[in-house]
Amino acid sequence: MNEFRFATNVFALESAGAFAGRCRRIEALGYDTLFAADHLGVAAPFPTLVAAAQATERLRVGTLVLNAPFWNSELLARDVATTDVLTGGRLELGLGAGHMKWEFDEAGIGWEPIGRRVDRLEALIDGLGRRFAEGGYPQQAELRAGMGLAPLQPVQRRGFGGTGPPLLIGGTGDRVLQLAAERADIVGVAGAVQVPGQAPGVLRIATATEADERVRFARERAGARADRLEWQVLVQAVVVTDDREGAARALLERYGPMMSVKELLDTPFALIGTVERMADQVLRNRDRYGFTYYTVHGPYLEAFAPALERVRMLGG
């Protein structure tokens, strides 16, 4: 898939009116999708997505990404179907294995090794697929018939074997990317690498070389599916500047020496430079990695918008 799509995400909420205005601004700037996160202390994803869709005309909405161990497949299927109906079939369901241990601790959910968390992610996908395929519960058949009610099902028939909304699986590790390559419609390459020796959830930005390897790994696992998949990247920083090296040094001084200045300027997970330079990097990243679905964090949506427009002007 060579056509670009662009997205941003939301964490904080203002008033209902202010949020609706922000969503309309995102749509007017040319973004295709608004994502909600699944973290404690920020906006709950599904009500946020319904409100965003109601405030806009074409903006798609999605989760980037739900922490699989937080969810039960039957209850999540209900939320997914309801949201897809209320948004008019604009939902994209993003799932991941979870990586912030403190959130599990605060929620009273047991923290397990990554292998077990990926097992839970796979089981969740299987459970959702079964529920979407089966539709209603047999225990309700008589009640539904008597009241003339149809089973609650997603509007879309794109993901989950043609039974639900598009499935995005995002992550960095081998097992998550293998699962994404095998089961997802959209492969999200997170570009956030766990820092060795630090608490779970202490992350750094991946280098261009690491991105090469992660994409190669996922494409190999996808096999014949690889060119039919959409490849999504989450950009961690956007800085509009004429002084790329100076801006990169400033970021490294702020966040720590995670990599060299050159590596930061080369990584696909940060965009630093003039509007023209950023647009060129987006185009080159498509050629190098296959990334065509870009998500920038909410604070950067205005800064990135001119580059988005330029990419489309250049035919992306």
Side-chain angles (χ1 to χ4, degrees):
M1 299 181 66
N2 293 319
E3 184 176 347
F4 281 101
R5 291 203 293 156
F6 298 99
T8 188
N9 55 23
V10 59
F11 291 94
L13 293 181
E14 316 89 345
S15 65
F19 177 65
R22 177 151 52 119
C23 292
R24 287 190 287 269
R25 175 62 175 164
I26 290 168
E27 186 173 57
L29 287 171
Y31 287 91
D32 300 285
T33 310
L34 175 67
F35 284 115
D38 187 23
H39 293 296
L40 297 185
V42 303
F46 290 112
T48 300
L49 300 181
V50 171
Q54 289 177 339
T56 57
E57 296 181 3
R58 61 162 184 82
L59 195 68
R60 291 186 65 79
V61 295
T63 56
L64 192 67
V65 290
L66 299 182
N67 295 311
F70 288 7
W71 297 87
N72 170 290
S73 64
E74 298 297 328
L75 299 178
L76 179 56
R78 181 181 65 179
D79 277 359
V80 169
T82 300
T83 302
D84 202 39
V85 170
L86 292 179
T87 62
R90 287 192 262 168
L91 178 65
E92 297 176 6
L93 181 62
L95 301 175
H99 62 275
M100 295 288 191
K101 182 178 183 298
W102 73 264
E103 293 184 322
F104 285 70
D105 295 341
E106 290 290 337
I109 298 171
W111 175 257
E112 298 176 307
I114 182 59
R116 183 62 181 141
R117 301 200 309 277
V118 178
D119 289 341
R120 293 191 182 277
L121 170 59
E122 187 167 13
L124 185 67
I125 294 167
D126 290 339
L128 290 170
R130 284 193 299 270
R131 177 51 48 217
F132 295 152
E134 292 171 5
Y137 297 90
Q139 299 91 328
Q140 294 178 330
E142 184 175 344
L143 174 64
R144 290 200 312 270
M147 299 181 68
L149 299 176
L152 175 64
Q153 292 182 300
V155 173
Q156 299 177 89
R157 294 288 185 269
R158 296 173 59 186
F160 297 91
T163 64
L167 173 62
L168 184 159
I169 299 176
T172 304
D174 285 1
R175 284 203 57 201
V176 172
L177 287 177
Q178 178 164 345
L179 188 61
E182 295 171 350
R183 306 287 294 275
D185 306 288
I186 306 164
V187 178
V189 182
V193 180
Q194 172 67 40
V195 177
Q198 298 294 319
V202 177
L203 308 171
R204 65 166 175 82
I205 297 175
T207 66
T209 300
E210 288 169 328
D212 283 327
E213 193 279 328
R214 292 290 76 197
V215 170
R216 178 198 57 76
F217 174 90
R219 288 187 66 88
E220 287 178 355
R221 270 56 182 182
R225 298 183 74 235
D227 289 335
R228 300 196 301 271
L229 298 175
E230 193 169 18
W231 296 82
Q232 187 258 3
V233 58
L234 176 59
V235 177
Q236 301 293 331
V238 177
V239 182
V240 181
T241 178
D242 291 324
D243 182 7
R244 297 185 74 229
E245 291 193 2
R249 287 193 196 92
L251 280 176
L252 292 173
E253 289 172 3
R254 179 177 177 183
Y255 294 110
M258 67 183 83
M259 59 180 64
S260 70
V261 167
K262 183 180 185 304
E263 287 174 325
L264 183 57
L265 293 174
D266 287 344
T267 181
F269 306 108
L271 295 170
I272 303 171
T274 63
V275 167
E276 293 76 14
R277 180 63 180 77
M278 288 192 289
D280 180 65
Q281 184 175 351
V282 167
L283 293 167
R284 286 187 290 106
N285 286 345
R286 177 177 60 183
D287 296 337
R288 180 171 178 175
Y289 306 104
F291 293 145
T292 59
Y293 197 178
Y294 271 77
T295 301
V296 299
H297 287 305
Y300 303 120
L301 73 93
E302 295 279 354
F304 181 67
L308 177 163
E309 184 177 359
R310 182 167 179 79
V311 169
R312 288 195 166 132
M313 181 184 71
L314 294 173

